[in-house]
Amino acid sequence: MNTAEKPAAALQALAQDFRDALRQSVYLVRRLDADGDLSAAQLSTLKMLLGDGVRVGEIARNLGVRVPSATEQIIKLERAGLARREPDPDDSRAVRVTLTDAGLAPVASANERRTTVMAGVLSSLSDEDRAALAAALPVIGRINATLLA
Amino acid sequence: MNTAEKPAAALQALAQDFRDALRQSVYLVRRLDADGDLSAAQLSTLKMLLGDGVRVGEIARNLGVRVPSATEQIIKLERAGLARREPDPDDSRAVRVTLTDAGLAPVASANERRTTVMAGVLSSLSDEDRAALAAALPVIGRINATLLA
DNA sequence: CCTATGTCAGCACGACTGATATTC
DNA sequence: CGAATATCAGTCGTGCTGACATAG
């Protein structure tokens, strides 16, 4: 039962199960994001701006989308008054995107509300289940990082 | 550190982390599904038809979407010759959707190819990581079931 | 001159709501 | 007649590619 002996079968089975779980989770995430005033893509983008200012290309990379898609979201956020675009002082080709004061509260409340809903779901699990989930999250994070490289 | 003492804080933290992992995974799934000839929604639908015949409403429920959205996918699959719609003999309001012979091979190959890609990603993990992931998948399945109820 | 960064234009996909048969 | 099932029509959100302007 060491690594070299069962590459194909067990690995494929795990991959299949993981794919299935993720597929279902996509719809779960959709539900979770459906009720808010901020869309999933917008909230993700805004959360990225909490620091000092982020370039469009970096936003795109972090979101896993192309630059034009990021630009589109940013423009929407700007029109909504939640984000601001400024020229980068060091590189005039670049644009630095920052969160406006008006954007702070919405991002916090939208984030909190969704997390609370999710916490409600998790509260119905057993301690064991929650422990298993917590143990797997870093692994999933590593998988995601691999694919985004 | 027992359950009763830390309902809010730890639970919210776990929920937040889980949300983040899922958000990233959405983009991961997008990449995984981007290269194939069958879209993610279409493959999911087709895999559901492997049995005897499924009603449109049931497909919609399993996919976590509304009935019109399911109808749309089914019509596309029908036009592609991969699925077939027949009246339900027991209930003339209903439509039973089945996989055609021509649909068998594409669904198998598309599924296999994506699973193989995922297996490739998982192969770079440690045995421990894979074990943690495997242990969490049933939990995630339970969470998904909860939300779809 | 070539590359990097960002935006614009046009397109595709997939979900949704609301309205409409048809059948139970 | 009211409820259930499915479809149709129209809209919206979000991603993509290709073309472009501007700066390094």
Side-chain angles (χ1 to χ4, degrees):
Chain A
M1 193 76 174
N2 67 45
T3 310
E5 280 179 37
K6 41 117 193 147
L11 202 58
Q12 291 261 332
L14 180 60
Q16 179 69 257
D17 291 348
F18 186 41
R19 286 218 305 123
D20 280 350
L22 285 186
R23 179 184 61 75
Q24 288 185 283
S25 295
V26 167
Y27 295 107
L28 183 158
V29 169
R30 197 186 338 273
R31 293 219 171 181
L32 198 63
D33 292 339
D35 48 356
D37 18 86
L38 240 44
S39 79
Q42 289 171 343
L43 179 55
S44 296
T45 305
L46 287 175
K47 279 166 75 172
M48 216 171 293
L49 306 180
L50 289 174
D52 194 27
V54 188
R55 296 163 63 131
V56 175
E58 195 176 348
I59 292 173
R61 214 158 10 78
N62 288 340
L63 282 181
V65 301
R66 305 286 179 181
V67 171
S69 306
T71 295
E72 191 184 355
Q73 289 304 326
I74 292 161
I75 289 175
K76 280 186 196 167
L77 292 171
E78 191 177 37
R79 273 204 284 260
L82 305 176
R84 185 176 38 231
R85 284 191 290 180
E86 305 166 334
D88 186 322
D90 302 337
D91 183 345
S92 302
R93 297 170 305 176
V95 170
R96 300 200 72 79
V97 185
T98 59
L99 197 60
T100 63
D101 289 346
L104 272 170
V107 63
S109 80
N111 194 44
E112 196 182 321
R113 212 178 34 68
R114 289 171 205 203
T115 298
T116 298
V117 173
M118 180 63 86
V121 174
L122 297 184
S123 73
S124 68
L125 296 174
S126 69
D127 281 3
E128 266 184 348
D129 281 356
R130 276 191 292 270
L133 183 61
L137 291 186
V139 179
I140 295 176
R142 233 163 289 151
I143 293 169
N144 288 329
T146 301
L147 266 275
L148 286 182
Chain B
M1 192 77 173
N2 67 44
T3 311
E5 280 179 38
K6 41 120 191 143
L11 202 59
Q12 291 261 331
L14 181 60
Q16 179 69 259
D17 290 348
F18 187 41
R19 286 217 308 122
D20 279 351
L22 285 186
R23 180 183 62 75
Q24 288 186 284
S25 294
V26 168
Y27 295 106
L28 182 160
V29 169
R30 199 188 336 274
R31 293 217 171 182
L32 199 63
D33 291 338
D35 47 357
D37 19 86
L38 240 42
S39 79
Q42 289 171 344
L43 180 54
S44 297
T45 304
L46 288 175
K47 279 166 76 172
M48 215 172 292
L49 306 180
L50 288 175
D52 194 28
V54 188
R55 294 162 65 131
V56 175
E58 196 176 348
I59 292 173
R61 212 157 14 79
N62 287 341
L63 284 181
V65 301
R66 305 288 180 182
V67 172
S69 306
T71 295
E72 190 183 352
Q73 289 305 323
I74 293 162
I75 289 175
K76 280 186 195 167
L77 292 172
E78 191 176 36
R79 273 204 284 263
L82 305 176
R84 186 176 38 231
R85 284 191 289 180
E86 305 166 333
D88 186 323
D90 301 337
D91 184 344
S92 302
R93 296 172 304 177
V95 170
R96 299 200 74 77
V97 185
T98 59
L99 198 61
T100 64
D101 290 346
L104 273 169
V107 64
S109 80
N111 194 46
E112 195 181 323
R113 209 179 36 68
R114 289 172 206 203
T115 298
T116 298
V117 173
M118 180 62 85
V121 174
L122 297 183
S123 72
S124 69
L125 297 174
S126 70
D127 281 3
E128 263 184 350
D129 281 356
R130 277 191 292 270
L133 183 61
L137 292 186
V139 179
I140 295 176
R142 233 163 289 152
I143 293 169
N144 288 330
T146 301
L147 267 274
L148 287 182

